Amino acid sequence: MKTYSFFPCCLLLAVLAAISACTPITHLADSQAGPDTIDTPPDTAAQYEVAEPQQLLEEELSALNQLGSWEEPGKEIPPEEAKVTFDFPITINKQVEFYLDLFQNRQRRYFKRWLARSTRYLPAIQEELKKAGLPRDLAYLAMIESGFNPRAYSRAHASGLWQFIRSTGRNYGLRIDRWVDERRNPEKATRAAIAYLSTLYNEFGDWYLAVAAYNAGEGKIGRAIRRYKTRDFWQLARYRYLRLETKRYVPKLIAAILIAREPKKYGFTDIKYEEPERYDLVKVPPRTDLAAVATAGNTSVKTLKNLNTELLRNQTPPGLSSYTLRIPEGRGEVVAANLKRLHPVITTSFKTHKVRKGDTLTRICRKYGLNKTTLLKANNLHSATLRPGQRLRIPYRTTKYVLLKEGETPESRFAAAGRDGELVLHKIRRGDTLGKISRLYNVPVNIIIQWNDITDVRKIRAGDHLALYLDRGSATRPRLRRQPEPPGPRPETIRCLLRPKNGNRPPLPGTKQSSPTTGCAAVTRYGPSPAGSGYRPRISNAGITCAQA
């Protein structure tokens, strides 16, 4: 395993973005952050999926209830008769046999899917269980909870592989907010689940009771023990005090373990098992755009989202000095090397709105945060009359990333016949703030800071110029959202194509010259390292240096 650290000083500007956007700093600061979140709405692709075990719950409970009273457990399977060794207590009774039959018949297609997914996560989960000294067969608890789906969400508002509710997840160290939901992070949620199961076993001294408490809560199981004066799960299950949903938890887990450990014995012979997750770890600054990482690593945002299921937006969250991203295996060095050569360009993209009965131009504009003139122009309309079924182009701002060649500057790139977009110089007037300028052009404040290598906004004064890199369409339509005009005369903007003699532009007042960058990265490789790679970059005041690993 090799670790690569990339921290060019100018990359730290991303960390300063949120501060400079909302903290009053002389006449260029603004109490409002501006459109910092233009590109960071909650990602619809990241939304929660209904847990498959929950979809089948009512039918399952109804059939289980028809079995009648709960049986005492039968004899445990003698070790000499078992072809595999179980480290979770295995016993057979009619409730366990019910689930064996259910998984082989009515729920067969679901169980096949869970088996196929299981190998994607099992190696890592079982390794963590082994480290903690817990039964490795407990890994199949994630199967009956979520079907090994990290995006699974239940009617009880539990989420992730291990189906934590918010309060329990937070109690065991998981971050849950509008940026991330670490219940959906397989590694972090697994460690939290192991800590919780360890606590439950230490309290009850019995795995059946601990597993039941994982479903019902330790308080419920503790009260049941005191009420009926027994610590035998099967005895407690005979009473009505525990819900059927909790009672079925233990026999369901036993049946899942039996089939998953010996699938061919139970007729599961055609499973296409998924490969275990393999990835590199890359440390990036807060609010790093996944599109930038995807461009740097020659991968897709979708792939990154599948590897980082805890992210609810297309950016890494704020509030930390760095964030560890999982990226496709073998791409760590490439991402770290290319991030410092990425240059963001604000561009206009379009999505489609299908007009429905009752839709009006005003209602559609309000829904998407547009003004009427923008919507009319985007669709070449001359009146506000709409008809059901009509499709409208909805413009919105987004950021694309250009990978600069070694030694190439944004100015020289943009000077090549207007390639990739247009350079706009905004002349700062008295009373301007970064927030006002960001709203004028609908560009996030942190992007403006990054474009201009700003290290101290207090040193920027009226009369200075800010460089804005917009695509050719965006440069002629600076605002997409309906917002009031800034007070005073409209700021001067100059659209130009620079052709610098030496490929470099002089630094702006209050800035220092540096290479255009997007973020910093530290990479950790998991798995075998490629032969012949024996170096790692390290931090230095001058930028990046290399050291033998």
Side-chain angles (χ1 to χ4, degrees), residues 12 51 58 91 261 297 337 402 413 462 490 526 536:
L12 299 179
E58 291 186 9
T91 189
R261 293 293 305 277
V402 176
R413 174 100 178 191
R490 184 179 181 81
Y526 275 77
R536 61 178 182 182

Side-chain angles (χ1 to χ4, degrees), residues 352-371:
T352 301
H353 175 88
K354 187 176 181 180
V355 177
R356 298 183 179 183
K357 186 177 180 180
D359 272 352
T360 64
L361 203 66
T362 300
R363 180 178 296 176
I364 295 171
C365 287
R366 187 180 300 118
K367 177 178 179 179
Y368 295 104
L370 299 170
N371 60 54

Side-chain angles (χ1 to χ4, degrees), residues 187 277-281 307 326-329 524-526:
E187 291 82 6
E277 281 197 323
R278 294 186 176 90
Y279 49 82
D280 291 350
L281 296 179
L307 286 172
R326 293 177 292 281
I327 64 171
E329 185 182 31
T524 303
R525 164 66 50 75
Y526 275 77

Side-chain angles (χ1 to χ4, degrees), residues 275-294:
E275 290 293 322
E277 281 197 323
R278 294 186 176 90
Y279 49 82
D280 291 350
L281 296 179
V282 180
K283 287 187 177 182
V284 298
R287 301 194 71 165
T288 295
D289 196 333
L290 293 187
V293 180

